[in-house]
Amino acid sequence: MQIADVTAFPTSFPVSARAGERLGIGKVVKRDAVVVRVRTTDGLVGWGESHHARSPGTVGHLVNRTLRDLVVGLDAADTVGVWTTIYTAQLASHGLGAAAAIAMSGIDMALWDIRGKAVGWPVYRLLGGASRPVEAYAGGVALGWSEPGFLVDEVWPLVERGYRAVKLRIGDNPVDDLARISAVRSAFPALQILADANTAYDLEDVRRIAPGLRDQQVGWLEEPFPPHDHRSYAAAARFAGVPLAAGENHYTRFEFHRLIEDGAVSVLQPDLSKSGGLTEVQRIAALASAWKLPLNPHTASTGLNMAATVHLLAATENAGYFEADVSHDNLFRDELVSSSITVRPDGTVLPPEGPGLGVEVDEDFLAAHPVIEGPGFVR
């Protein structure tokens, strides 16, 4: 069962006015993704997702023009061997670094889909897991910088659907951010509130908002700073008083090694479509477990990465939350794939039961939604 072909499909759609959330990284104007298809000589087809990296055409080009030639002809079941081949040619020396990690993630995910289809098992069983419930929080590109009362109105239906935890977008300014958090806390005293600054804070912002985060019992402060700002993370960990979270912009176990050893970040958030795929995030999970740290993966645009993430968490000893996408009008969640992950009344999700990832891709959707060039977020 050899790899016969690899094809990346950069894809986009413009968002509606209500889906154009305003966050620390800007206002959403379109949604992008890179869907990766792998075919085998036995006729099997696997699907995966590479993160768009705010440049979906570039990521797709890297898959189609470079990584494809590295892996065609290799054993499709040898995910470790394929990963090592790409690592040697792109990550170890003179490659494209993070772009290569992102591009290879979609290939790796598609190979796990193929492995499951080859034996008729869902991926969670291949990983050694079971169909166990995974606690979810309401996240995705949602719950942005709204007026506090409007934000409360947005959270109500999520709680009614079963969510017991939500992630609020901060990074605007400490005063307004804390007003939003306080409004949600007042309306939902028992709700677990998580906060994501999308790298928009500096140390003084964290000093100003930290007492309020503690008072409002916020579960974590996510990405207050860019991933390379190790000094600020170390300084904030000494006074913040709430757990710091990061990892969606860290690539491979080698970057997570430092993140863990520094000791400032205690909530790890690798993204399967960015950090190196299922093969690599398994290694990151094992590394985290040695330090008694939970894994709370970041999820990306499409139902492919969402399904893969639940499979992984159902097979991970130190599993934390699944980040459920609750954004408005996400066609990549609702139309691109055959089914979506849904929260149960107890606030948990289950992995899909079909072979492989358990979801299929509508290729007509990909044909109808070619990539839209330009930034997906604007200031």
Side-chain angles (χ1 to χ4, degrees):
M1 188 174 68
Q2 294 176 311
I3 298 173
D5 192 32
V6 177
T7 306
F9 300 89
T11 177
S12 308
F13 64 88
V15 302
S16 64
R18 72 168 185 161
E21 298 285 357
R22 200 161 57 96
L23 332 167
I25 51 177
K27 179 180 172 60
V28 185
V29 295
K30 67 183 174 86
R31 297 294 294 268
D32 297 314
V34 180
V35 177
V36 179
R37 182 185 66 200
V38 177
R39 297 186 186 274
T40 73
T41 52
D42 292 25
L44 293 175
V45 176
W47 294 95
E49 178 185 347
S50 291
H51 194 268
H52 56 79
R54 303 197 200 177
S55 188
T58 300
V59 174
H61 186 81
L62 179 58
V63 173
N64 290 329
R65 295 292 182 261
T66 299
L67 301 195
R68 177 192 180 277
D69 292 344
L70 295 174
V71 303
V72 165
L74 299 182
D75 182 354
D78 183 14
T79 52
V80 171
V82 172
W83 201 97
T84 302
T85 296
I86 297 174
Y87 170 81
T88 302
Q90 274 288 310
L91 287 169
S93 175
H94 298 290
L96 286 175
I102 290 168
M104 73 192 297
S105 296
I107 295 174
D108 181 83
M109 193 183 298
L111 292 178
W112 279 95
D113 191 29
I114 285 169
R115 294 182 82 200
K117 290 172 178 175
V119 300
W121 280 12
V123 164
Y124 71 78
R125 290 193 69 189
L126 291 179
L127 296 172
S131 183
R132 58 175 58 94
V134 175
E135 194 170 3
Y137 71 83
V141 183
L143 304 177
W145 295 352
S146 305
E147 182 273 328
F150 182 80
L151 188 59
V152 170
D153 290 341
E154 285 189 294
V155 172
W156 267 114
L158 300 174
V159 173
E160 291 175 344
R161 283 164 57 184
Y163 288 105
R164 298 177 180 179
V166 299
K167 186 164 78 178
L168 305 182
R169 301 290 182 157
I170 61 174
D172 184 2
N173 65 80
V175 173
D176 290 339
D177 289 340
L178 195 55
R180 296 178 180 112
I181 291 171
S182 299
V184 174
R185 171 57 71 219
S186 295
F188 308 98
L191 188 67
Q192 173 71 289
I193 297 176
L194 314 169
D196 184 356
N198 288 119
T199 74
Y201 275 170
D202 58 25
L203 269 174
E204 185 55 32
D205 292 325
V206 176
R207 288 186 193 278
R208 291 173 61 196
I209 201 171
L213 297 181
R214 295 194 295 268
D215 290 344
Q216 299 300 326
Q217 298 179 306
V218 170
W220 72 52
L221 171 58
E222 180 176 337
E223 282 203 317
F225 318 116
H228 54 260
D229 192 356
H230 303 288
R231 176 185 174 277
S232 291
Y233 275 103
R238 292 193 287 270
F239 65 77
V242 296
L244 299 180
E248 68 178 271
N249 288 302
H250 289 78
Y251 305 97
T252 77
R253 64 193 183 275
F254 306 111
E255 292 193 7
F256 277 88
H257 180 275
R258 172 166 185 178
L259 192 65
I260 292 170
E261 283 209 330
D262 281 355
V265 172
S266 57
V267 179
L268 302 180
Q269 301 173 304
D271 185 321
L272 272 69
S273 70
K274 301 175 80 171
S275 299
L278 272 161
T279 299
E280 187 69 353
V281 177
Q282 280 188 102
R283 295 163 171 160
I284 294 168
L287 182 63
S289 73
W291 291 76
K292 307 299 183 184
L293 298 176
L295 199 76
N296 295 271
H298 173 263
T299 57
S301 298
T302 85
L304 290 164
N305 192 44
M306 296 171 198
T309 300
V310 181
H311 282 294
L312 175 76
L313 288 170
T316 299
E317 178 189 30
N318 51 323
Y321 281 114
F322 166 65
E323 180 180 8
D325 178 81
V326 297
S327 58
H328 297 295
D329 306 326
N330 182 358
L331 304 185
F332 296 148
R333 177 195 62 213
D334 301 330
E335 297 184 17
L336 170 67
V337 294
S338 55
S339 62
S340 59
I341 302 295
T342 56
V343 68
R344 305 194 303 167
D346 65 351
T348 65
V349 296
L350 291 172
E353 283 298 335
L357 294 179
V359 295
E360 290 300 324
V361 168
D362 182 351
E363 296 193 50
D364 290 337
F365 177 96
L366 293 174
H369 295 85
V371 66
I372 302 170
E373 300 296 347
F377 298 88
V378 296
R379 296 285 184 181

